[in-house]
Each structure stands twice: as structure tokens, then as C-alpha cells.
Amino acid sequence: MTATRIQVRGDSPYDVVVGTGVLAELATLLKPGVRTVAVIHPASLPEISRPVGAALTEAGYEVVELPVPDGEQAKSVEVAAQLWSALGRYGVTRSDAVVGVGGGATTDLAGFVAATWLRGVQVVLVPTTLLAMVDAAVGGKNGIDTPEGKNLVGTFLPPAGVLCELDTLASMPRADYVAGLAEIIKGGFIADPTILTLIESDPEAATRPDGPHTRELIERKIQVKADVVGADLREAGLREILNYGHTLAHAIERDEHYAIRHGEAVAIGMVYAAELSRLAGRADLVERTRTILTSVGLPTAYRADAWPRLRDHMRLDKKNRGAKQRFVVLDDLARPGRLEGPAEELLEAAYKEISA
Ligand SMILES: NC(=O)c1ccc[n+]([C@@H]2O[C@H](COP(=O)([O-])OP(=O)(O)OC[C@H]3O[C@@H](n4cnc5c(N)ncnc54)[C@H](O)[C@@H]3O)[C@@H](O)[C@H]2O)c1
Ligand SMILES: O=C(O)C(=O)C[C@@H](O)[C@H](O)[C@H](O)COP(=O)(O)O
Ligand SMILES: [Zn+2]
């Protein structure tokens, strides 16, 4: 099947290439003048990273393999520091490149290390999970976690390109694949309701990489993200809509010490945001939200006793301004709004609705 190229606009435009058998396109995404390419990938995924290194070697680059811990464990300052040391040892210069291969945790880390090494070298991302293809690798947001919370340190660096090799999805554990659907469903609620109708038409099929609508769902969600980040890279306003459901989601991830999948936390966070919207007199999309998430096997509730801790964690959300807590809510389907400084009673009442 032919590759689709989705362009992300902005001051540094780039392409997101989507298709099967597209690895040979990787070298076309690197800007000219590169000698050494540092390939950052989870040590646990050699069968996925090896072909990437081989494609780069074949294209004439000197390849340096930099394995990192699996998943969220890699998003730490300690791992970033080890990578900075390695880049120094291998003599990676400003005309060289970083390639990040893996799920969203790895692409977030690779983007951050590329953005900070020598104050910025180019990065090409090769997302290998559904979530990373439709969300994490697109848009130039990168970051690591700190003991105080999720993604608290990071930068905005648009990648030179993104390569989504759809064949890699076949090896994904089902639960990780389904977690990626949460970010696709988010795209349906905030911008492209066709995503919702495609999933609602056959939820079981949506949970499989070989489902009839998989490619369309992926491309539609990438397009949603490309449209938003192309207009507002640095989250001056519009980009906040991509954070729908994330205020509570990040608090839950921290509460779980990152043992919960990001997409699962986002699913719960979207039900909370839908409840907030309803209780604040905005859109009532609670039932549709619960139904579609449940239909693909995503969680919609969280422990009742966790509220005081979650409330505390949410105070460090990046959308907050001073003491004012801010949320993305829905004024209607595909019409996101903001809820600024809501009453504590409203926040707690919405949580009661999603408490297990
Ligand atoms: N920067 C952004 O805009 C953005 C957007 C959304 C999410 N994120 C971040 O992305 C992360 C979540 O990403 P994720 O869901 O991809 O999780 P992940 O990176 O932790 O990957 C999930 C698991 O899948 C494994 N894996 C990866 N590719 C595989 C494959 N093809 N086959 C088998 N196993 C594979 C990984 O090794 C890991 O164990 C979070 O850290 C989240 O904060 C960032
Ligand atoms: O790209 C964005 O902007 C998003 O908010 C997308 C989210 O899905 C993603 O999880 C992002 O990493 C959250 O960003 P943060 O600024 O809240 O850490
Ligand atoms: Zn997310």
C-alpha cells in the first residue's frame, strides 16, 4: 500500500509518513549533512529497532545504538544524563541526528535529549505503538518526569520527520494497543466526530491492528494533531485542546507511580472532563464517552479514596495559571472550551461520578 504523507505546518514544517513497508523512507526525512545517527530505542525491542539501524547503515550513516529502559522508566533525568554522556563519547555534533524508535515514552525522551544536546540537534521519530503514532511522536512536545509529576521538564522541538511503519503494530500487546485508542477517541471528541462513528460502528474491530478502519483512524487522528500543532506549537492557546482529559489523567499516573498506561489514565480523565462539562452546564457527552470507552475495553472509573491526593497532584498541571486551576471541557461535540477556576465542590462532585 502506498505511503500517506501528512504535513505538519509551522515555522519548521515536516512530514508524518504513514504506511506499510515504509522504512526505506527514513533516510529521506533526515536533513542533509548528517554523518552520525544516534538511535535511541528500548533495550527490550531489539527486533523492532534493528531494521531501523540497518536501514540507516544501508543509507550510508554511521549508526550508534543507544538502548534505554522500557516505557515510562526511561523518562527520567538519570536516563537523559546517560544519553548526554553517550552522545559526547560518540562525538555527535550539531550536524548529526537523533532517531527515536519506540512507544511514546521513548519518543518523548529522544525528543528531549535531541532538544537539549548542544542546545538542539535534529530528531526523527519512528513511533512503534498506536499511541505514539497518533499522538506522542507528532507535534514536537517532549519531556521527562520528575518525582513531583508527569512531563514536568521538557521542550518544544518539532521533529525533522515522523515515520509510522504500520507493520510494527502487529506485535503490540492488546492492552497497549487499546490504550492508544484513548488518544484517538480524544481526537474524535475534540475535533473529528467521524472517528467516533467509525469506532462505534464496530468497536471490536477498532481494537485490532488489522481492523478495517485502522489506517483511517490513525490518519484522521494524526491530521487532528497536525492541524492543531501546526497552528500553535507552543501551546499559547489552541493546543490546550489536545490536553482534554489529561488534567486528571496525569494525576492518576502519578498516583499509580506510572504503573497505569497513559492511555488508560486518559480514558478515565476524559470521563471526568465530560462530567465536569455536564455539571458546569456545558455539553453533556457523558454517556457517549463512557459507552465508547467501555466498548473498546478502556477504564472509566477510579478509586474513590484517591480524590484528596489527585486534587493535590492537579495543582501542578501546566494549564494552571497561578492558583487558578484550568480544564479543557466540551461546549459541544468537537467544540472544546475552557473551565477556569471551578469551585472545589464542582471538582469533587465530578469525581464522585467517576469513583469506583
Ligand atoms: N509528547 C506528546 O505529545 C505525547 C502525547 C501522548 C503521550 N505521550 C507520552 O507517551 C507515553 C505513552 O506512550 P505509549 O502508550 O506508546 O507507551 P510506552 O512508550 O510506554 O510503550 C508501551 C509498551 O509497548 C512496548 N512497545 C513499543 N512498541 C512496541 C511494538 N511495536 N510491539 C510490542 N511492544 C511495543 C514498549 O516497550 C512498552 O513496554 C507517555 O509517557 C505519555 O506521556 C506524549
Ligand atoms: O500534544 C499535546 O499538546 C498534548 O497535550 C497531547 C497529550 O496527549 C500528551 O499526553 C502530552 O504529552 C501532554 O502534555 P503535557 O503538557 O500535559 O505534559
Ligand atoms: Zn496524552
Side-chain angles (χ1 to χ4, degrees):
M1 206 183 277
T2 52
T4 308
R5 292 184 99 93
I6 299 171
Q7 205 198 30
V8 183
R9 298 177 195 284
D11 292 344
S12 307
Y14 56 95
D15 281 350
V16 181
V17 178
V18 184
T20 51
V22 293
L23 210 49
E25 305 242 3
L26 178 56
T28 70
L29 297 175
L30 288 164
K31 292 177 191 148
V34 175
R35 177 197 51 161
T36 302
V37 181
V39 180
I40 295 175
H41 59 87
S44 57
L45 293 178
E47 64 292 345
I48 285 180
S49 64
R50 207 175 295 121
V52 174
L56 291 165
T57 305
E58 194 158 310
Y61 299 106
E62 187 180 306
V63 173
V64 173
E65 300 278 350
L66 299 179
V68 294
D70 191 42
E72 201 74 21
Q73 292 164 31
K75 285 178 62 171
S76 72
V77 71
E78 290 79 14
V79 176
Q82 286 163 15
L83 291 171
W84 292 322
S85 293
L87 294 173
R89 282 199 308 280
Y90 287 110
V92 172
T93 70
R94 271 193 175 160
S95 57
D96 293 323
V98 167
V99 167
V101 185
T106 314
T107 58
D108 271 12
L109 171 75
F112 176 68
V113 167
T116 46
W117 178 245
L118 307 181
R119 301 203 185 94
V121 299
Q122 63 169 303
V123 64
V124 169
L125 296 174
V126 184
T128 64
T129 64
L130 180 65
L131 187 144
M133 289 183 189
V134 301
D135 203 327
V138 182
K141 211 182 229 190
N142 58 56
I144 55 174
D145 308 325
T146 78
E148 289 70 34
K150 173 98 180 169
N151 297 343
L152 292 182
V153 177
T155 80
F156 294 100
L157 173 73
V162 180
L163 187 81
C164 301
E165 170 53 68
L166 298 176
D167 272 350
T168 61
L169 296 176
S171 59
M172 280 195 71
R174 182 183 163 85
D176 288 305
Y177 189 85
V178 167
L181 285 175
E183 299 279 23
I184 293 181
I185 290 169
K186 177 189 79 180
F189 278 108
I190 62 172
D192 179 5
T194 301
I195 287 176
L196 302 181
T197 50
L198 283 172
I199 295 175
E200 286 162 345
S201 71
D202 190 347
E204 194 281 326
T207 66
R208 290 187 276 111
D210 64 352
H213 303 306
T214 296
R215 185 158 175 168
E216 181 175 356
L217 288 169
I218 290 172
E219 290 181 0
R220 278 186 177 276
K221 174 62 206 311
I222 293 173
Q223 191 65 59
V224 167
K225 185 140 192 191
D227 289 346
V228 172
V229 301
D232 178 20
L233 170 69
R234 290 176 179 278
E235 205 168 316
L238 174 70
R239 186 173 182 151
E240 286 183 340
I241 69 173
L242 299 172
N243 226 251
Y244 182 63
H246 281 62
T247 316
L248 187 74
H250 284 167
I252 291 174
E253 286 184 85
R254 185 177 162 199
D255 197 54
E256 293 278 338
H257 305 285
Y258 306 104
I260 188 171
R261 291 174 182 83
H262 177 68
E264 293 170 350
V266 169
I268 301 166
M270 281 194 289
V271 186
Y272 182 68
E275 289 285 7
L276 271 182
S277 306
R278 180 179 70 84
L279 292 171
R282 314 283 188 92
D284 182 355
L285 289 157
V286 173
E287 198 180 325
R288 193 169 186 188
T289 305
R290 276 189 212 281
T291 304
I292 192 168
L293 293 171
T294 306
S295 74
V296 295
L298 283 164
T300 56
Y302 196 65
R303 292 202 317 268
D305 66 335
W307 175 244
R309 294 192 304 276
L310 299 177
R311 177 67 194 99
D312 208 37
H313 297 336
M314 290 198 298
R315 293 183 211 284
L316 253 188
D317 187 86
K318 292 178 219 71
K319 297 183 297 303
N320 295 347
R321 297 292 177 262
K324 189 190 283 177
Q325 183 84 46
R326 297 175 65 253
F327 289 86
V328 179
V329 291
L330 290 174
D331 290 334
D332 203 345
L333 184 59
R335 206 153 62 75
R338 308 292 184 278
L339 187 61
E340 314 239 356
E344 290 300 320
E345 296 73 28
L346 182 74
L347 298 182
E348 194 167 353
Y351 191 74
K352 284 210 173 85
E353 298 293 332
I354 71 149
S355 292

